[in-house]
Amino acid sequence: MKRIAAGCCMALMAFPAVGQSVNDYPTNARVEYVTTCMATNGGTREMLDRCSCAIDRIAEILPYDGYVGAETILRMQQTSGERSSMFKGMAQMNETVATLRRAEAEAEIICF
């Protein structure tokens, strides 16, 4: 009986729960997004819910590394000088930002 129970436990640990989503966004990144979103949209309890929903939707679409990459590109595009031009003209960087924009648009439709 102990062997059967141990075998069942081992089998359950080997397979993740069905429908379990990967949460690779660190808490501080989610908090930063929600805080900024709330400040932009009035800071109400309703906005807390909507902004939390938005970052959850973005996280479902875009892995954290892609999110960080897109945010970095957007920040670099706002700078001036020769370095910023590199971030404005490369197709791969534009596609990275476009993926974030699509995720944000979907989040806005669902959450706002």
Side-chain angles (χ1 to χ4, degrees):
M1 189 68 160
K2 286 183 181 181
R3 286 184 183 173
I4 294 172
C8 288
C9 288
M10 295 293 283
L12 289 173
M13 290 189 310
F15 298 103
V18 176
Q20 181 180 5
S21 64
V22 175
N23 181 4
D24 66 342
Y25 280 53
T27 302
N28 62 343
R30 288 178 182 266
V31 169
E32 181 180 2
Y33 180 92
V34 171
T35 304
T36 303
C37 176
M38 286 181 65
T40 304
N41 293 297
T44 65
R45 171 72 174 132
E46 179 184 3
M47 282 303 120
L48 172 65
D49 294 339
R50 290 177 186 267
C51 294
S52 297
C53 172
I55 191 62
D56 290 344
R57 294 301 144 280
I58 292 168
E60 287 177 1
I61 297 167
L62 188 63
Y64 183 65
D65 289 343
Y67 176 79
V68 170
E71 287 290 323
T72 301
I73 292 166
L74 287 170
R75 286 192 179 107
M76 292 305 295
Q77 287 176 345
Q78 293 176 355
T79 63
S80 60
E82 189 177 316
R83 289 184 180 173
S84 69
S85 65
M86 177 179 76
F87 289 92
K88 294 177 182 173
M90 296 181 79
Q92 181 181 6
M93 292 192 190
N94 291 336
E95 181 57 35
T96 300
V97 171
T99 302
L100 174 60
R101 296 290 188 219
R102 284 190 296 270
E104 289 175 330
E106 185 173 324
E108 187 167 333
I109 290 168
I110 293 170
C111 301
F112 290 88

